[in-house]
Amino acid sequence: MRIALYQPDGPLEFWINGLQAVWPQAEVALWQPGSPPADYALAWAPPQAFFDEQPGLKAVFNLGAGVDALMRLHIPPQTLVVRLDDAGMAAQMVEFVCHALLRHFRDMDGYQTDARAGRWVRREPALRSDFPVGVMGLGVLGTKVAQAVRGFGFPVQGWSRQPKAVDGVQCFAGSAQLDAFLAASRVLVCLLPLTQDTENILNRHTLSQLKPGGYLVNVARGAHLVDADLLALLDSGHLAGATLDVFRTEPLPPQHPFWGRPQIHITPHISARTLLPDSLAQIIAKLQALLQGQPVAGVVQLERGY
Ligand code: NDP
Ligand code: OXD
């Protein structure tokens, strides 16, 4: 068995040693143009040549949850695309989103400004009932986030492609129910995959349907958001702020207008990192299952793009 690896700047030795420990007879090697074709691969955002030169790949394990970079490529029809499902990311996403929500809800930015100015000011407490949270995407990560937010006592609704039932979460599905979902939300959390259907979905039309004083948390992909529309809605006062972890261009260019906006909290795509030991263990378990002809979770449906 030959396993190819592609992850620029990735910890290649970690993956190679981990796989070799389980399959000592396997040839595990970094893929470069001209490398001999492999049976299986672990990859993050490879170039088209990676698939063109390996038409017999049985499966590629995406070294992340989002597969949008792979979906832009022509993948041989028999190659199974398997993504990380959770692998330690859900807990991180829960922490990140709840932190963003609570920082905004408790006006911690205001208290920080006051503290820096030496001001002792106690604000009126906000009501959770005035901060309904809408989670776009009720998948592996979105469901856990919605449940955690519910655990803090906020009203929560979720939106998915197919109808779902999640305890304590009012569920909406499909484009027909998007407006009702948005109108019921004040804080909007995006945990959608980036597909043809979801690109630019956070735009002036959708964001202006949030309740006044709306707040956006985008932890999915930068191309979900129309940057200029967010800025316009912040300027108009309809939106109160945003926490953005992902951007159309990463790193966010120094001249981008998001920098320096006090209502926008920026982080460098760290809301849920790929944890190496968890991810390696999940990939090994999935490859073992595939080798035994068993089904695995996280197989991407190419026709729907996630
Ligand atoms: P899943 O595939 O498990 O969940 C995707 C959810 O989005 C599903 O509920 C799906 O609906 C819904 N969805 C997809 N398309 C549509 C649509 N057109 N309309 C309505 N709902 C839709 O993904 P994960 O939860 O694992 O991850 C979500 C995304 O988070 C990833 O694709 C990735 O881009 C991003 N991510 C970001 C990270 C970061 O560090 N910033 C880290 C990890 C992930 P249905 O249930 O009906 O299929
Ligand atoms: C992912 C990511 O999709 O890191 O896993 O964004």
Side-chain angles (χ1 to χ4, degrees), residues 73-139:
L73 305 176
H74 295 290
I75 298 178
Q78 84 292 340
T79 305
L80 212 57
V81 178
V82 186
R83 67 188 195 92
L84 290 177
D85 54 295
D86 192 343
M89 281 189 253
Q92 298 176 72
M93 210 45 112
V94 163
E95 291 162 357
F96 187 95
V97 172
C98 290
H99 176 265
L101 167 66
L102 296 173
R103 177 177 56 199
H104 177 58
F105 173 66
R106 297 297 303 266
D107 199 1
M108 298 311 287
D109 290 344
Y111 285 113
Q112 194 172 18
T113 306
D114 285 347
R116 289 208 173 117
R119 281 195 299 265
W120 180 277
V121 181
R122 303 173 84 199
R123 292 147 207 263
E124 279 307 305
L127 300 176
R128 286 182 181 74
S129 54
D130 288 338
F131 279 77
V133 178
V135 180
M136 301 179 99
L138 284 176

Side-chain angles (χ1 to χ4, degrees), residues 133-139 142 146 156-164 169-182 185 188-192 197-198 201 206:
V133 178
V135 180
M136 301 179 99
L138 284 176
V156 185
Q157 46 269 338
W159 184 65
S160 55
R161 209 166 61 100
Q162 301 295 328
K164 295 217 132 170
V169 177
Q170 189 187 1
C171 292
F172 296 81
S175 42
Q177 294 185 354
L178 178 58
D179 290 358
F181 162 79
L182 293 167
S185 306
L188 185 67
V189 179
C190 181
L191 268 167
L192 292 167
D197 292 338
T198 66
I201 196 166
T206 52

